[in-house]
C-alpha cells in the first residue's frame, strides 16, 4: 500500500488554498471550517454526513461544504481516497455568484475578482451562495475542476491560471448554487451578529455563556437555540472556528505555532495542534510551511 500524500499550496494571486489528499485509507472525522470547501473525489467511495443526513459519494463527485457546516466522511468501499479541494473565503464566493467586485477580504488586494457581477444593480447587497447539494453527481464542471486543480497544485499553467479558475468557479455557481436570501428575521440576525462580534473581538479570552447571555439579552438556552438555528453551529463551535481562523492568519505571517496557540486562546500547544489538524488536515507547522518562499 502506497503511503498517503497530503499537499497544500497557497495561491497568492487568488488568495486561496489548493489541497490534495491522495491514498487515504480513512475519511475525516466530524469537523467544520470558516470557509467554503469545494472538493473533487478522484477515487474512493463512502458516506458523507452533513446536517444530520448521510449521502453516498464516489469517484467523479463534487463535494461542497459551506462555512461553519459540520461534516464527516467515511471510506466504505475498501479503496483509497484521492480528494482534490479548494478552500475559498466567503467573500470570494459571494463575488463568484455576482457580488461586489470592490470588496476586500482583508487579506490583501489580490483576492478573487467578481466573475459574475454583470447585471447587478448598483448598491445591491452581495450575498454568498448556497449550493443545493453537498454531493453533486455528474456535474458538467467535474472535468474542468480536475484540470484547473492539477495545474494549480502542480505550479504549472501560470499564464491564464487565475482566469481559468474564475471561469470554473463562475460555471459551478451558475449550475449548482443560488444566493442566500437576506432580510429574514432581522431581530434575531442582529442579536446573533452582536454575539459573533463579541466573540470576534474577544476570542483570545475565556468566554462563558454568561458573557454571551449579557450581550444577547436573552437566556442562555434560548441563545444557543437561536444561534444554532441561524449559524448552523453552537456559539462554542463558532468560537473554536474563529480561533482557528485567526491562527491561520498568524501562521501565514510567520508567527511560531507555540506563540499562536496562546494568542488565540488555547490552553496549550498540544491541544491547539490536535484541533488545528482536525479542522485543516495538516499540523500548524505544515500549514505555515506552505507560505514560506521556496
Amino acid at each position: 500500500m502506497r503511503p498517503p500524500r497530503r499537499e497544500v499550496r497557497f495561491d497568492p494571486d487568488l488568495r486561496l488554498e489548493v489541497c490534495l489528499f491522495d491514498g487515504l485509507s480513512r475519511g475525516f472525522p466530524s469537523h467544520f471550517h470558516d470557509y467554503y470547501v469545494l472538493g473533487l473525489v478522484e477515487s474512493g467511495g463512502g458516506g458523507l454526513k452533513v446536517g444530520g443526513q448521510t449521502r453516498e459519494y464516489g469517484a467523479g463527485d463534487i463535494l461542497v461544504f459551506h462555512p461553519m457546516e459540520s461534516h464527516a466522511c467515511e471510506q466504505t468501499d475498501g479503496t483509497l481516497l484521492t480528494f482534490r479541494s479548494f478552500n475559498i473565503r466567503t467573500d470570494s464566493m459571494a463575488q463568484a455568484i455576482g457580488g461586489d467586485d470592490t470588496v476586500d477580504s482583508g487579506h490583501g488586494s489580490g483576492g478573487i475578482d467578481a466573475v459574475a457581477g454583470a447585471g447587478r444593480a448598483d448598491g445591491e447587497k452581495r450575498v454568498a451562495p448556497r449550493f443545493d447539494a453537498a454531493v453533486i453527481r455528474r456535474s458538467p464542471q467535474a472535468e474542468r475542476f480536475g484540470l484547473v486543480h492539477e495545474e494549480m497544485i502542480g505550479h504549472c499553467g501560470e499564464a491564464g491560471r487565475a482566469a481559468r479558475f474564475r471561469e470554473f468557479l463562475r460555471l459551478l455557481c451558475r449550475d449548482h448554487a443560488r444566493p442566500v436570501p437576506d432580510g429574514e428575521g432581522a431581530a434575531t440576525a442582529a442579536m446573533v451578529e452582536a454575539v459573533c462580534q463579541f466573540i470576534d473581538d474577544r476570542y483570545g479570552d475565556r468566554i462563558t455563556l454568561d458573557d454571551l447571555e449579557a450581550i444577547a439579552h436573552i437566556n442562555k438556552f434560548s441563545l444557543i437555540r437561536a444561534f444554532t438555528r441561524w449559524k448552523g453551529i453552537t456559539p462554542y463551535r463558532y468560537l473554536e472556528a474563529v480561533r482557528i481562523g485567526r491562527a491561520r492568519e498568524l501562521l501565514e505571517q510567520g508567527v511560531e505555532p507555540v506563540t499562536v496557540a496562546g494568542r488565540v486562546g488555547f490552553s496549550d500547544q498540544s491541544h491547539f495542534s490536535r484541533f488545528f489538524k482536525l479542522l485543516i488536515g495538516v499540523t500548524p507547522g505544515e500549514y505555515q510551511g506552505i507560505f514560506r518562499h521556496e
Side-chain angles (χ1 to χ4, degrees):
M1 181 180 295
R2 70 180 187 273
R5 173 189 172 199
R6 297 170 181 258
E7 185 174 347
V8 181
R9 181 195 173 194
F10 178 71
D11 190 299
D13 297 322
L14 292 167
R15 302 298 301 179
L16 56 82
E17 293 160 7
V18 189
C19 308
L20 173 63
F21 301 98
D22 181 34
L24 303 185
S25 58
R26 300 178 182 178
F28 295 89
S30 181
H31 65 292
F32 55 91
H33 312 278
D34 62 349
Y35 47 82
Y36 286 83
V37 177
L38 303 180
L40 175 67
V41 180
E42 285 204 338
S43 65
L48 174 69
K49 187 173 183 179
V50 181
Q53 297 183 347
T54 299
R55 301 166 176 84
E56 298 299 314
Y57 67 84
D61 291 343
I62 293 177
L63 309 185
V64 180
F65 307 124
H66 298 92
M68 307 301 191
E69 184 175 66
S70 180
H71 55 277
C73 66
E74 180 181 4
Q75 285 292 98
T76 59
D77 66 354
T79 63
L80 298 178
L81 173 66
T82 297
F83 180 72
R84 298 177 178 272
S85 68
F86 295 111
N87 298 341
I88 308 174
R89 293 180 172 94
T90 301
D91 60 332
S92 297
M93 288 300 299
Q95 292 171 359
I97 203 170
D100 186 349
D101 59 358
T102 64
V103 172
D104 183 6
S105 67
H107 298 277
S109 59
I112 302 172
D113 297 329
V115 293
R120 181 180 58 84
D122 290 342
E124 181 181 336
K125 183 180 179 180
R126 64 176 178 82
V127 288
R130 184 80 185 177
F131 286 81
D132 295 321
V135 179
I136 303 174
R137 295 186 173 89
R138 296 180 294 277
S139 171
Q141 306 310 326
E143 182 178 2
R144 187 187 298 267
F145 189 133
L147 293 173
V148 172
H149 189 283
E150 178 63 29
E151 70 173 0
M152 292 177 69
I153 199 73
H155 300 259
C156 58
E158 292 299 318
R161 179 196 78 254
R164 284 188 290 274
F165 174 81
R166 292 181 181 119
E167 178 66 2
F168 152 72
L169 192 58
R170 183 187 71 80
L171 292 172
L172 188 72
C173 289
R174 181 202 65 184
D175 292 346
H176 304 292
R178 53 188 167 78
V180 177
D182 54 9
E184 300 176 2
T188 300
M191 180 273 290
V192 170
E193 291 309 314
V195 171
C196 289
Q197 187 63 57
F198 179 83
I199 292 174
D200 292 345
D201 293 340
R202 303 284 296 276
Y203 62 87
D205 300 334
R206 181 176 180 272
I207 297 177
T208 68
L209 274 175
D210 289 336
D211 297 327
L212 301 184
E213 185 181 54
I215 298 297
H217 303 295
I218 59 174
N219 70 69
K220 63 187 68 175
F221 305 106
S222 296
L223 165 60
I224 292 173
R225 286 195 299 270
F227 193 100
T228 303
R229 186 170 62 251
W230 199 261
K231 288 290 186 181
I233 56 172
T234 65
Y236 181 71
R237 285 295 188 183
Y238 180 83
L239 170 61
E240 289 179 324
V242 169
R243 284 174 170 168
I244 292 299
R246 299 298 184 270
R248 291 170 62 234
E249 294 174 359
L250 292 172
L251 291 169
E252 292 171 19
Q253 297 166 15
V255 180
E256 290 300 315
V258 64
T259 302
V260 171
R263 285 194 189 179
V264 301
F266 284 90
S267 58
D268 58 71
Q269 186 181 6
S270 177
H271 179 207
F272 167 58
S273 296
R274 288 195 303 271
F275 195 71
F276 190 95
K277 186 171 183 178
L278 177 66
L279 264 67
I280 306 302
V282 295
T283 67
E286 290 170 337
Y287 181 83
Q288 190 170 65
I290 72 175
F291 296 92
R292 297 193 180 111
H293 296 295
E294 299 180 353

